[in-house]
Amino acid sequence: VAKGGLDMTDINMKEAEHSALADQALADFAAKEGIALEPSGGVVQSNSSSDAPAKTMGPSAEFQ
């Protein structure tokens, strides 16, 4: 019987790094668009008024 087969340490480390980079990219995008994120990764609409950055995606204010 082969001992260990594959060393999963490097693979697990790369997967964790990839996940962290994806989470950071999502947080950066949400901040740029004025979207508040829940700690669990869900999205909550921000209630800030005039301090919100201009949205580049989604419906414009005139259609809401």
Side-chain angles (χ1 to χ4, degrees), residues 10 15 17 23 29 31 34 36 38 45-46 56:
D10 190 40
E15 184 178 338
E17 180 180 333
D23 289 345
F29 172 76
E38 291 180 350
Q45 287 291 67
S46 176
T56 59

Side-chain angles (χ1 to χ4, degrees), residues 13-28:
M13 186 170 52
K14 286 184 181 185
E15 184 178 338
E17 180 180 333
H18 186 266
S19 178
L21 288 172
D23 289 345
Q24 184 62 46
L26 176 61
D28 290 345

Side-chain angles (χ1 to χ4, degrees), residues 40-56:
S40 64
V43 177
V44 175
Q45 287 291 67
S46 176
N47 290 334
S48 61
S49 57
S50 63
D51 294 340
K55 289 185 177 183
T56 59

